[in-house]
Amino acid sequence: MIKVSDTASKKIIEMMQDDGFDAAKDYVRVGVKSGGCSGLSYELKFDNQIGENDKIFEDNNVRIAVEKKSFLYLAGTVLEFSGGLNGKGFVFNNPNAQRTCGCGESFSL
């Protein structure tokens, strides 16, 4: 399961509307790819298509699609949004990550 904080939910719904997506029927696609300074990096985008290898979750009024191979790295993650002094953006609080980079955009297991 992937959780979405209240702050992240509000920002996601706002951004989806701005990009022409409907949070009630479209998805936030969350994934992991090779790269970044720690070895793996996070991906986040909006999507209106579901693949046969996707796992679907809904939390805090946000529908989330994750490919099964990425889900192994993301199980238990909480997606948050930070608007603090270090910059605005989405933050992945991933209990599976053993090491993360300073910017929080990549991790390793």
Side-chain angles (χ1 to χ4, degrees):
M1 178 101 187
I2 295 175
K3 298 277 192 183
V4 180
S5 73
D6 291 340
T7 307
S9 173
K10 290 174 189 170
K11 190 64 176 177
I12 288 169
I13 292 169
E14 175 188 317
M15 290 175 71
M16 287 181 89
Q17 290 172 343
D18 290 348
D19 286 357
F21 289 90
D22 180 355
K25 66 177 184 172
D26 295 324
Y27 300 87
V28 173
R29 180 165 296 282
V30 180
V32 172
K33 65 179 181 177
S34 294
C37 49
S38 292
L40 297 169
S41 61
Y42 297 108
E43 291 184 300
L44 184 73
K45 64 182 181 178
F46 304 133
D47 202 346
N48 56 12
Q49 302 291 318
I50 295 301
E52 64 181 52
N53 292 323
D54 286 340
K55 292 181 91 45
I56 306 301
F57 304 97
E58 186 166 346
D59 187 54
N60 221 349
N61 299 315
V62 174
R63 295 166 44 126
I64 303 163
V66 183
E67 282 187 305
K68 287 181 183 176
K69 64 180 180 178
S70 288
F71 180 70
L72 297 172
Y73 299 107
L74 296 170
T77 295
V78 178
L79 181 59
E80 299 189 35
F81 184 81
S82 174
L85 295 174
N86 292 335
K88 291 184 179 183
F90 290 99
V91 177
F92 292 82
N93 286 322
N94 186 344
N96 305 303
Q98 293 179 359
R99 188 181 73 198
T100 60
C101 67
C103 65
E105 293 179 12
S106 68
F107 68 102
S108 66
L109 299 177

